[in-house]
Amino acid sequence: MADDLQIYSVSCEGGLHTNKNLLSHSELLPGSATRLINYEPSVTGGYRRISGFTNSYPSLPGTGSVLGVCVVGDINDGILACRKPSSGSNYFHYWNNSTSAWVAITVAGSPTMTGVSRVRFLKYNWFDQKVLLTDGVNRAAIYDGTTYTQITDTNAPANPKYATDFKNHMFLAGASANPNYLYHSAPLSDTNYSPADGGGVINVGFEIIQIKAFRDELYIFGKNNIKKIVGTNDSDFTVLPVTNDLGCLSSDSVIELGGDLLFLGPDGLRPVSGTDKIGDVNLETISKNVQSIFNFISSNNDLSTLCSVVIRQKSQFRIFFGAAESEGVIGALREQQAGGIVFEFGQLLGISATCADSGYIGLNEIVIHGDSDGKVYKQET
């Protein structure tokens, strides 16, 4: 009988699969996983336990959850965060490496944190590095490392939720009074929205829940629609349809990774990627392997609490489905033994994240998240 023994090599690849029955799983998908919690597809092959996270910073001053975090290497010491103040209006802070303490940024315009559940950051660099903050309650604000300035132009929206820069214009959307409207600034002027100078307003025909520039187009996401804008300025900006049968379920699920713009749709994650045909768009789902997980988590969680982060050095994204449940999904691009690059997935459990971000400080990629207790953690440690 010993003579009948044979060596059979199995490469641990393929990631988590929940759409196959167990009887056929080993035959059809050798090396894939039926359970993969807090493990990730390794860049060196196989699977490895995630590196974890540490409370590298003391609690952010204030009360309630951390509302937003940002990693931007050319502003202060690179770490920014927001939390409702216990008193006053200084909700915005930066981390000071030399004193190992949070420093409050003096804010103008008396912003209120009443009703704010998420502060979103947009990083951009037209002449120097800046961040733009939106929260859906206050006017958008700009911080350049020294000065916090609200956008008070009466042509700009009073309380936008979303922002992106596109073709040297700043775009704002998600204002409560006009949720269908997309506002843009004058060229290379992030505070000037005057039509006389090149600012403008575009009615896209549905409630906007996210905007994202991708290559030479600006994508506008609704719950049941997606459109895009092409052009270079107010005289030739053109709105084109992408689909009227599919939308985005969560504003903060929209991320860019590996040359694709990804978003959470009704049946899982979908890409907005250019195909070989010029002007064509591919919207085929990439998460069929774990569609049952997305369906279960999406139907049992408040998707407005979802946050996501990209880890570029691993070609990986992480989606966190709310702080209370501490559930999430890992997706990573990996080359297969048989050739081709595909997404492999795993599950997250135990990371309570209300917001997350990543970026480079010097040559090091930093990944952070905030939680409901006001703490900011560093991942990958």
Side-chain angles (χ1 to χ4, degrees):
M1 292 297 294
D3 294 338
D4 293 333
L5 294 177
Q6 296 181 3
I7 297 175
Y8 181 64
S9 300
V10 176
S11 299
C12 290
E13 65 175 19
L16 181 63
H17 281 252
T18 61
N19 64 334
K20 298 286 185 183
N21 67 73
L22 295 179
L23 294 177
S24 62
H25 201 146
S26 60
E27 180 180 350
L28 299 175
L29 301 167
S32 61
T34 59
R35 181 178 172 89
L36 203 64
I37 297 177
N38 290 343
Y39 276 78
E40 63 187 5
S42 174
V43 294
T44 57
Y47 310 120
R48 66 180 296 274
R49 185 177 290 277
I50 63 173
S51 297
F53 56 94
T54 58
N55 185 200
S56 299
Y57 314 95
S59 294
L60 196 64
T63 183
S65 302
V66 180
L67 300 172
V69 291
C70 179
V71 180
V72 53
D74 294 330
I75 292 182
N76 302 130
D77 287 333
I79 305 294
L80 308 174
C82 297
R83 191 184 187 196
K84 181 179 179 179
S86 301
S87 61
S89 58
N90 293 339
Y91 69 100
F92 189 21
H93 301 77
Y94 71 85
W95 176 253
N96 187 311
N97 284 332
S98 61
T99 62
S100 296
W102 292 104
V103 178
I105 296 167
T106 302
V107 301
S110 299
T112 174
M113 290 294 104
T114 302
V116 174
S117 59
R118 180 73 52 86
V119 177
R120 297 177 175 89
F121 291 87
L122 171 70
K123 310 166 198 176
Y124 65 106
N125 191 332
W126 290 350
F127 305 106
D128 50 21
Q129 186 68 59
K130 296 181 181 180
V131 292
L132 186 144
L133 295 77
T134 54
D135 60 28
V137 173
N138 300 284
R139 287 192 168 274
I142 297 168
Y143 181 64
D144 61 6
T146 303
T147 305
Y148 171 99
T149 306
Q150 281 194 323
I151 299 176
T152 57
D153 190 326
T154 55
N155 297 292
N159 55 356
K161 291 181 180 178
Y162 318 113
T164 194
D165 63 314
F166 175 67
K167 298 297 183 181
N168 295 324
H169 295 72
M170 186 60 66
F171 281 78
L172 301 175
S176 58
N178 298 295
N180 296 0
Y181 286 10
L182 183 62
Y183 300 79
H184 68 81
S185 71
L188 293 173
S189 182
D190 45 15
T191 60
N192 182 2
Y193 289 76
S194 170
D197 297 325
V201 181
I202 301 170
N203 187 346
V204 302
F206 55 81
E207 181 179 348
I208 300 170
I209 67 168
Q210 190 53 278
I211 53 176
K212 224 53 149 168
F214 180 63
R215 299 179 183 174
D216 289 326
E217 299 167 326
L218 173 60
Y219 282 85
I220 308 140
F221 295 89
K223 292 182 179 179
N224 299 297
N225 312 78
I226 302 175
K227 291 185 177 181
K228 64 181 180 180
I229 289 178
V230 297
T232 59
N233 55 59
D234 191 53
S235 65
D236 66 355
F237 282 143
T238 303
V239 181
L240 301 175
V242 175
T243 177
N244 293 318
D245 298 318
L246 177 70
C248 178
L249 297 185
S250 175
S251 303
D252 296 299
S253 69
V254 183
I255 54 175
E256 185 174 352
L257 177 66
D260 277 324
L261 194 62
L262 308 177
F263 67 95
L264 180 62
D267 57 351
L269 285 173
R270 287 178 172 265
V272 173
S273 55
T275 63
D276 291 336
K277 278 186 174 181
I278 296 176
D280 198 6
V281 172
N282 172 32
L283 294 173
E284 182 180 357
T285 181
I286 64 169
S287 59
K288 282 294 184 183
N289 297 344
V290 290
Q291 183 173 339
S292 61
I293 293 176
F294 275 103
N295 290 346
F296 177 81
I297 296 179
S298 296
S299 62
N300 288 278
N301 290 273
D302 179 4
L303 294 182
S304 67
T305 65
L306 178 152
C307 63
S308 56
V309 67
V310 171
I311 305 178
R312 296 161 188 82
Q313 63 186 5
K314 291 184 174 182
S315 298
Q316 181 186 124
F317 65 82
R318 296 178 179 180
I319 298 177
F320 306 99
F321 289 88
E325 292 79 10
S326 301
E327 294 178 298
V329 173
I330 290 176
L333 286 168
R334 192 163 73 165
E335 185 175 5
Q336 303 294 288
Q337 293 288 331
I341 297 175
V342 300
F343 275 100
E344 296 186 3
F345 293 91
Q347 286 182 270
L348 289 167
L349 191 64
I351 301 178
S352 174
T354 58
C355 52
D357 191 42
S358 65
Y360 281 88
I361 299 178
L363 298 177
N364 299 314
E365 185 177 24
I366 306 298
V367 184
I368 61 175
H369 73 268
D371 74 357
S372 56
D373 293 325
K375 297 178 180 178
V376 178
Y377 295 86
K378 180 185 289 186
Q379 297 185 20
E380 297 300 286
T381 57

